[in-house]
Amino acid sequence: MSELSEASEVSELALEAEKLDAADELAPLRDRFVLDDVVYLDGNSLGALPAHVPDRVVDVVRRQWGELRIRSWEESGWWTAPERIGDRIAPLVGAAAGQIVVGDSTSVNVFKALVAAVRMADEDRTEILVDATTFPTDGYIAESAARLTGRTLRAVTPAEVPGALTGRTAAVLLNHVDYRTGRLHDLPGLTAAVHAAGALAVWDLCHSAGALPVGLDEHGVDLAVGCTYKYLNGGPGSPAYLYVRRDLQPRFDSPLPGWNSHSDPFGMSPSYAPAPGAPRGRVGTPDILSMLALEAALDVWDGVSVSAVRAKSLALTDFFLRCVRAYTEPGRVECVTPERHEERGSQVALRCADAGEVMKRLIDRGVVGDFRHPDVLRFGFTPLYVGFADTERAARVLGEELA
């Protein structure tokens, strides 16, 4: 390609990006976040800061803690925060109120959900299936849960799950979106297959909640967990959440019974009696500062349609792939994210031999994605604040660094 034709293509794509941004109904949401001139494509690891959160946190620290002190458990609603915030998250994952409790980390909630799922299964169901491509922690916890419950553990890919299910399967732990590749797995179909085998489905939603419709209630998911610091923008280390389908709640037997999930938490009884409903997923005292920062962060979702977010996500990732193809030499990078919309989450993963060094150079030039060992560049697209001009610029800088 000549320098003239290359410049023309850059100009055309930049102009197209400008037009797409002008027509974007979600574009005004960008003003709800603290952003600079960096192209931030790492919201699939840590979401950007919603602009109003600092003032809300100051109020929590100075007034609720500093002035009201212990009274804030009741007067400021601290005690009911785990369920209240769970109900804020519920519509973002397709769940009715009263089925999600916020607290602990994703890892802890995976442990609670998986062990509880196995305990709800018949005793002759002696095997747990786990996503072989899962984020490592889920695999570690599944192995521990298997030891704890006396079950065997078998790792299979999501595509292999239907053929791997047997009458011995107790529970299956799956990721909705593969954290490396951005592949979106078939939650409705796999959940149906798990149920047809008489087992329970536990889904990890870390890379899908806030980026695309999930449909927990619609598809009959049994249990689900997720973090809140990625597409939900809750802040570093913000508490995770646990979904327990309403009809399963009376049978939910947590392996971590704590005083916060007791039916009479202030009765201080030496024997444990679980609270009814979602609160039985609680364990100990909630992390109030980070939890209330999350509650404030969720305000950015007021009036926002998850389906509109999904439509923009697909448009952004489509456009990014077009720009990458236009700006990079053929064969220099390999896209490992599926092209088909029904198989794509909200990130694009590109493979190249020197990915670690390339990402360092991109970050130096104001394009922030991340690197996954050994050779993957990850770019996460958060439709609430990423625009098409950002997308074109990221691909153009990538092409320049790969030249």
Side-chain angles (χ1 to χ4, degrees):
M1 183 183 294
S2 69
E3 289 186 10
L4 184 62
S5 61
E6 184 177 352
S8 175
E9 187 159 21
V10 169
S11 176
E12 288 177 9
L13 287 169
L15 183 60
E16 183 177 351
E18 206 175 298
K19 291 178 179 177
L20 289 168
D21 279 334
D24 176 19
E25 65 182 39
L26 299 182
L29 298 177
R30 183 184 180 96
D31 293 337
R32 299 183 185 182
F33 293 87
V34 176
L35 295 164
D36 48 27
D37 61 353
V38 165
V39 177
Y40 189 65
L41 300 181
D42 211 2
N44 55 327
S45 285
L46 176 64
L49 171 66
H52 65 283
V53 167
D55 287 343
R56 293 278 286 277
V57 172
V58 166
D59 178 70
V60 172
V61 172
R62 293 191 180 279
R63 184 180 64 83
Q64 296 182 28
W65 179 16
E67 298 175 17
L68 297 178
R69 293 178 287 275
I70 197 72
R71 292 162 52 193
S72 275
W73 284 105
E74 181 176 349
E75 295 181 28
S76 300
W78 288 1
W79 184 260
T80 58
E83 293 76 47
R84 183 178 71 246
I85 302 171
D87 287 346
R88 295 281 303 276
I89 293 171
L92 302 179
V93 293
Q99 299 175 100
I100 294 179
V101 64
V102 172
D104 306 309
S105 67
T106 306
S107 302
V108 171
N109 284 322
V110 169
F111 179 75
K112 287 187 282 188
L114 189 56
V115 172
V118 173
R119 287 178 173 179
M120 284 189 270
D122 294 336
E123 289 187 5
D124 60 348
R125 292 185 172 269
T126 58
E127 185 177 67
I128 300 171
L129 299 183
V130 64
D131 183 348
T133 62
T134 190
F135 189 77
T137 287
D138 286 22
Y140 307 154
I141 288 172
E143 184 179 2
S144 177
R147 291 200 311 269
L148 181 71
T149 59
R151 265 66 172 185
T152 58
L153 181 69
R154 183 155 55 116
V156 296
T157 66
E160 293 170 333
V161 165
L165 291 162
T166 71
R168 295 186 299 106
T169 308
V172 183
L173 174 60
L174 292 162
N175 283 262
H176 198 189
V177 173
D178 186 298
Y179 80 100
R180 289 188 191 88
T181 67
R183 176 178 290 276
L184 172 65
H185 297 303
D186 181 10
L187 182 146
L190 289 172
T191 300
V194 171
H195 288 169
L200 281 84
V202 182
W203 284 92
D204 183 330
L205 309 178
C206 285
H207 287 270
S208 59
L212 53 92
V214 177
L216 292 179
D217 287 353
E218 177 186 358
H219 303 303
V221 168
D222 302 300
L223 301 112
V225 302
C227 66
T228 61
Y229 47 78
K230 300 182 189 295
Y231 296 109
L232 298 184
N233 310 295
S238 57
Y241 57 91
L242 169 67
Y243 165 89
V244 182
R245 201 177 71 219
R246 193 180 311 280
D247 63 302
L248 294 180
Q249 290 173 1
R251 298 170 54 204
F252 181 83
D253 182 8
S254 175
L256 295 172
W259 77 282
N260 254 237
S261 62
H262 198 285
S263 61
D264 183 15
F266 294 98
M268 303 302 167
S269 170
S271 59
Y272 180 72
R280 67 173 55 194
R282 294 170 67 149
V283 182
T285 305
D287 186 342
I288 291 299
L289 297 184
S290 61
M291 187 167 291
L292 297 187
L294 165 63
E295 183 174 32
L298 290 171
D299 287 351
V300 301
W301 287 94
D302 290 348
V304 177
S305 160
V306 177
S307 60
V309 168
R310 175 59 169 166
K312 182 179 176 182
S313 164
L314 292 171
L316 286 168
T317 49
D318 280 344
F319 187 60
F320 181 68
L321 289 170
R322 277 182 55 206
C323 292
V324 168
R325 283 191 287 266
Y327 294 157
T328 60
E329 182 183 344
R332 184 65 175 88
V333 294
E334 174 195 0
C335 181
V336 295
T337 302
E339 291 273 354
R340 297 177 64 206
H341 286 181
E342 58 268 34
E343 296 178 356
R344 188 194 310 165
S346 198
Q347 72 179 53
V348 172
L350 304 175
R351 179 175 286 136
C352 68
D354 49 349
E357 288 304 313
V358 170
M359 184 53 70
K360 289 179 183 177
R361 297 200 301 272
L362 290 177
I363 292 171
D364 286 344
R365 293 191 59 185
V367 175
V368 178
D370 66 15
F371 162 69
R372 283 294 176 265
H373 186 79
D375 57 1
V376 172
L377 301 166
R378 288 197 322 171
F379 301 94
F381 292 82
T382 305
L384 298 185
Y385 53 77
V386 173
F388 292 90
D390 298 322
T391 302
E392 185 273 336
R393 175 183 162 194
R396 178 163 33 87
V397 172
L398 173 64
E400 291 168 0
E401 292 302 324
L402 293 175

